Amino acid sequence: MAVTLETPLAKVLGPKTATGMADSLGLHTVRHLLRHYPRGYASRGEQADLADVQVGDRVTVLAQIRSVTTRPMRNRRGSLTEVVVGDGSGRMKLVFFNHRHGHLKVNEWGMFAGTVGEYRGEKQFAHPDMHLMDPDGDDTDWARALVPIYPASKDVSSWVIQKSVKLLLGAGGGFGELIDDPLPEEIRSRHGLLPLAAALLDIHRPTTMEDVERARRRLKWDEALTLQLTLAARRRAAALEPGIARPRKAGGLLDAVDAALPFALTEGQRDVGEELAAELDRDQPMHRLLQGEVGSGKTVVALRAMAQVVDAGGQAALLAPTEVLAAQHVRGIRALLGPLGRAGELDGDASGTRVTLLTGSLKAAAKRQALAEVADGSAGIVVGTHALLQQTVEFTDLGLVVVDEQHRFGVEQRDALRAKGNRPPHVLVMTATPIPRTVAMTVYGDLEISTLRQLPSGRGGVSSSVVPLTEKPAWLDRAWERLREEVAAGRQAYVVCPRIGDLPGDEPEDADGAPPEEDGRSDRRPPLAVLDVAEALRAGPLAGLRLDVLHGRMTPEEKDGVMAAFAAGETQVLVATTVVEVGVDVPNATVMVVMDADRFGVSQLHQLRGRVARGKHAGLCLLVTEAPTASPTGERLAAVAATSDGFELARLDLETRREGDVLGAAQSGKRSGIRLLSLLADEELIAEARGEATALLSTDRGLADHPGLAAEVAALASDERAEWLEKA
Ligand code: ADP
Ligand code: MG
């Protein structure tokens, strides 16, 4: 039988092993098994594995037998065999009950796999699986300097995988023909990469760690290139569908916006504005990501683009993640446009347009009217939440889609809105979560990117501190005092809590991003709740201040009322959940107190902090926590307090959340396309692969001359791996 990469493992390995691999490791074909790389290598005598293992780990260790003793058990019938093994760095006890142990000889080497337990303070394996090396046999595998340790399962041990891989690699013979290298020779030599067969041999059966490194580099290239080809193909497909040019016209809405702005645009806003204006003027649909630090003024950039499209006869839709934010956008845009935003109303200017709000909570009559305005084209600017995506929403001529706070949406949502154009509309997505370059090149790889680095001048800046309650309980009183001082000076404050409160089973409201239970504490008290904290503050440290609450369980009208009162300065302190996390813009607010700050992720905290000091006054952000300063959580909070550089924090977030979460489930997934590639460490490699992918697809023939690469891309697309691309 000719074995290919697509041959089912059952045909090569026998049904029992194959079933185990399929069920517990998700490995079905030869390709899957060859891409199931070792997670590490044990080298006899010098490894540090035994010293590192923790109770509860399921591990495989390579070690030497130091002693074997058997004695009858005290309270039961039968015998107990204790075997001590060591590896140079540490020792561990193996225990067996009623075990025939004649084959366990001192000084022999073996591999032992099991879950690390503990008995009287000592780490031990009870009845581990084991594989002894045969010193006399021709078991050359065990004589090798490096023994691969595979991600294994209860049913399939590391050495079963090792043996199976060895079988496939055929001890060298015939393997080379089995593997067609998809990577063109030219690219290989340009970047000094091993042929695929050699890389697979080296990663599974290396002699030195240098072999492993070289193999890994080549295999990472495969991952990066396949990914970049997929993304480049998307960019190309999007570029080939013609859209409609929306050229800039003088004397229209855009000029009116510029005239009405109460401030001068920053240089960054002007530059990005020019870039957008030029791109909107092409019939190739724009596909752009605008990333800009919290408070950098993205909204006005988007509004100017929308105005240009309206001036050119099209409609623009702005998708916001929350009703609070959608309402705020509508309020701001209407205020700025004045009569020009009220065309068709008594006091409106007929040469203008209408700014229409469309959210799920509109009353039936209001919704009918909004839908009609969208459908007959009188609404030039449509702002809404997810409700915009519904089928009943039809545009006359949708020319531009703006997605605010893109990280709250998926690609599907962006595409659903895009599909509402007669021809593909221009797309602008915005995010205040700065995206490290590698993520931008991968997760967001199908977008062009603009960045607003500058904050509008005259901002006071925010100083941040951690308030560690267990160590400095008195600091909390001081925090409330500071808040009162700010309020006395005419400023306003937010107090954010992770939970709403009051209801049984009430879950943290959207505290995404926080690494759950990273300290392994599952017995923590429930997170603080808005309703409880508000009551305590009213009765205690903030008595006498005008304080209100805002959370996701209020009706949209209630939320709107509360936000409007806060924006108008009537409310001095707003106790809220993360509903205020994104976008909320009240320039007079200067204090942000985050209760149970450890319950929030790094990016989330940065976003929350971005709610204050948006005007000319300096801001204060206090991260209140019970986490000890010296814990990982404490250090994470200290890092947030120490820097206001969003890019640095995004990196930290990437580290603490681990890349798997960024890429969706794929990284941990059994057959994900990304196994070796690291978004943090492989920036350069990803950039090179992106260059090659773009070059490969820049000719008319595309991948026609590279069937191997085309097959890899197809495999990525058809596999469940593609899932994470959608989760961007
Ligand atoms: P973000 O980028 O976080 O969405 P916004 O667009 O909400 O930020 O802008 C933050 C605040 O800065 C708003 O109050 C906005 O009116 C103001 N702003 C925007 N651009 C400028 C500018 N060039 N000069 C002064 N203030 C500005
Ligand atoms: Mg914003």
Side-chain angles (χ1 to χ4, degrees):
M1 180 189 60
V3 175
T4 72
L5 287 178
E6 310 314 325
T7 304
L9 286 175
K11 297 220 162 120
V12 202
L13 300 179
K16 185 160 164 281
T17 309
T19 307
M21 285 193 181
D23 291 352
S24 63
L25 297 170
L27 309 174
H28 300 275
T29 63
V30 168
R31 176 195 296 273
H32 295 152
L33 182 53
L34 288 179
R35 298 271 184 190
H36 187 70
Y37 307 130
R39 64 167 167 75
Y41 302 85
S43 71
R44 266 178 285 148
E46 61 176 47
Q47 57 160 350
D49 273 2
L50 268 184
D52 292 345
V53 300
Q54 302 291 326
V55 173
D57 287 352
R58 188 178 163 82
V59 294
T60 305
V61 296
L62 176 65
Q64 190 178 31
I65 298 177
R66 298 281 159 79
S67 67
V68 181
T69 51
T70 298
R71 56 181 164 80
M73 277 192 279
R74 254 173 247 141
N75 306 324
R76 278 190 279 162
R77 277 149 53 89
S79 67
L80 177 73
T81 300
E82 290 186 346
V83 179
V84 174
V85 299
D87 69 350
S89 77
R91 329 175 123 226
M92 180 145 79
K93 197 182 279 177
L94 319 178
V95 295
F96 301 90
F97 303 101
N98 299 326
H99 188 72
R100 273 178 292 141
H101 55 273
H103 58 300
L104 296 172
K105 297 206 181 69
V106 171
N107 286 337
E108 264 182 20
W109 285 83
M111 294 179 83
F112 307 91
T115 303
V116 183
E118 196 171 17
Y119 184 71
R120 296 200 171 146
E122 262 188 299
K123 287 183 244 174
Q124 68 169 31
F125 273 154
H127 275 269
D129 294 332
M130 52 189 176
H131 181 99
L132 295 175
M133 300 178 195
D134 180 357
D136 309 319
D138 59 351
D139 199 351
T140 52
D141 282 350
W142 306 112
R144 298 179 80 89
L146 293 174
V147 178
I149 308 287
Y150 287 93
S153 69
K154 205 156 73 27
D155 302 326
V156 188
S157 66
S158 177
W159 52 87
V160 166
I161 298 171
Q162 187 188 4
K163 279 189 176 155
S164 307
V165 170
K166 182 183 166 199
L167 194 76
L168 287 181
L169 298 183
F175 173 67
E177 283 111 79
L178 166 65
I179 305 293
D180 245 344
D181 196 335
L183 206 57
E185 167 66 47
E186 200 188 304
I187 295 185
R188 238 167 43 213
S189 66
R190 188 153 46 233
H191 300 280
L193 302 172
L194 286 181
L196 182 56
L200 287 173
L201 271 173
D202 274 354
I203 199 147
H204 290 293
R205 302 171 63 73
T207 309
T208 67
M209 283 312 284
E210 283 78 63
D211 293 347
V212 174
E213 268 323 299
R214 240 177 323 145
R216 278 198 181 136
R217 194 171 123 74
R218 154 66 210 238
L219 297 169
K220 281 179 184 177
W221 248 90
D222 288 1
E223 294 175 4
L225 186 64
T226 310
L227 188 58
Q228 293 301 335
L229 281 170
T230 306
L231 294 168
R234 281 185 189 208
R235 279 198 301 272
R236 244 169 88 85
L240 288 177
E241 269 180 290
I244 300 174
R246 313 282 181 175
R248 184 168 178 165
K249 290 205 177 75
L253 215 53
L254 177 51
D255 284 351
V257 167
D258 284 342
L261 281 181
F263 45 72
L265 294 177
T266 64
E267 205 181 309
Q269 286 170 324
R270 269 202 310 274
D271 291 349
V272 174
E274 304 266 301
E275 202 167 36
L276 299 186
E279 262 180 74
L280 292 172
D281 194 3
R282 289 191 215 129
D283 63 6
Q284 213 183 63
M286 171 172 89
H287 221 78
R288 189 164 281 278
L289 171 72
L290 172 57
Q291 63 173 350
E293 189 57 90
V294 187
S296 59
K298 295 180 290 296
T299 315
V300 68
V301 173
L303 176 60
R304 294 182 71 249
M306 293 194 280
Q308 174 171 337
V309 168
V310 174
D311 283 340
Q315 291 168 289
L318 171 58
L319 180 63
T322 63
E323 300 218 351
V324 167
L325 203 50
Q328 177 185 287
H329 280 315
V330 165
R331 229 181 290 128
I333 295 172
R334 279 191 186 144
L336 203 62
L337 293 181
L340 277 171
R342 294 195 293 271
E345 284 174 42
L346 271 183
D347 65 343
D349 181 334
S351 71
T353 188
R354 296 186 68 80
V355 183
T356 299
L357 176 68
L358 191 69
T359 58
S361 62
L362 288 185
K363 298 264 157 46
K367 187 163 200 172
R368 245 193 329 271
Q369 192 195 337
L371 285 174
E373 289 175 6
V374 177
D376 69 17
S378 52
I381 294 179
V382 185
V383 182
T385 52
H386 285 86
L388 273 183
L389 307 174
Q390 281 162 7
Q391 277 196 334
T392 46
V393 182
E394 285 175 40
F395 292 81
T396 316
D397 180 14
L398 180 60
L400 171 65
V401 168
V402 180
V403 182
D404 195 15
E405 306 296 347
Q406 153 79 16
H407 64 287
R408 293 305 191 84
F409 295 99
V411 176
E412 319 88 67
Q413 283 146 334
R414 197 205 302 163
D415 285 348
L417 193 48
R418 217 158 66 94
K420 291 186 183 293
N422 308 328
R423 297 237 223 113
H426 300 282
V427 176
L428 175 67
V429 302
M430 306 197 288
T431 181
T433 303
I435 299 169
R437 185 159 160 260
T438 40
V439 180
M441 286 188 296
T442 49
V443 180
Y444 293 95
D446 60 335
L447 300 169
E448 311 291 335
I449 295 175
S450 303
T451 305
L452 281 181
R453 299 198 179 276
Q454 205 179 3
L455 294 187
S457 58
R459 293 278 168 85
V462 185
S463 56
S464 312
S465 315
V466 178
V467 178
L469 289 183
T470 32
E471 291 144 48
K472 310 271 183 195
W475 285 14
L476 188 59
D477 299 334
R478 179 69 193 125
W480 301 130
E481 263 171 53
R482 282 289 292 121
L483 190 154
R484 291 194 77 107
E485 286 164 19
E486 285 292 310
V487 170
R491 306 285 86 77
Q492 288 163 277
Y494 299 94
V495 178
V496 170
C497 308
R499 201 164 57 100
I500 303 172
D502 219 19
L503 284 193
D506 147 41
E507 286 300 305
E509 179 157 304
D510 189 31
D512 58 22
E517 311 303 345
E518 73 184 331
D519 297 337
R521 293 179 295 162
S522 52
D523 55 342
R524 296 202 281 176
R525 62 159 171 74
L528 290 173
V530 166
L531 300 177
D532 303 341
V533 168
E535 199 182 302
L537 289 176
R538 271 197 192 108
L542 301 187
L545 301 190
R546 295 192 301 276
L547 182 147
D548 211 345
V549 299
L550 183 72
H551 57 74
R553 222 161 47 219
M554 295 161 61
T555 68
E557 289 83 22
E558 288 170 338
K559 278 192 255 180
D560 227 29
V562 169
M563 263 327 287
F566 188 66
E570 290 155 23
T571 305
Q572 295 165 316
V573 181
L574 194 58
V575 185
T577 56
T578 50
V579 285
V580 298
E581 176 190 341
V582 291
V584 167
D585 184 35
V586 178
N588 189 48
T590 54
V591 182
M592 167 63 67
V593 181
V594 184
M595 306 302 289
D596 276 344
D598 46 287
R599 305 275 180 161
F600 300 94
V602 170
S603 294
Q604 227 174 357
L605 292 171
H606 184 55
Q607 284 278 348
L608 285 170
R609 174 168 55 190
R611 295 313 113 215
V612 296
R614 296 169 76 85
K616 58 182 187 294
H617 306 287
L620 176 67
C621 173
L622 299 172
L623 308 174
V624 182
T625 180
E626 287 178 1
T629 308
S631 64
T633 308
E635 283 165 17
R636 182 160 53 90
L637 294 176
V640 174
T643 178
S644 57
D645 180 338
F647 280 87
E648 200 177 317
L649 289 173
R651 248 187 120 76
L652 181 68
D653 201 26
L654 204 59
E655 275 164 29
T656 50
R657 285 197 303 167
R658 287 194 216 97
E659 286 146 38
D661 303 337
V662 176
L663 294 180
Q667 189 95 349
S668 53
K670 288 160 185 136
R671 282 193 280 135
S672 93
I674 306 298
R675 294 184 181 77
L676 297 174
L677 201 63
S678 155
L679 292 186
L680 284 175
D682 296 319
E683 181 168 332
E684 202 172 320
L685 191 154
I686 293 172
E688 284 172 6
R690 183 176 167 89
E692 293 289 358
T694 311
L696 278 166
L697 289 185
S698 66
T699 71
D700 287 341
R701 291 187 55 73
L703 290 183
D705 300 324
H706 305 287
L709 283 178
E712 292 289 318
V713 172
L716 176 72
S718 70
D719 222 341
E720 62 201 7
R721 310 161 185 183
E723 268 175 34
W724 70 260
L725 282 172
E726 309 303 333
K727 290 209 183 95

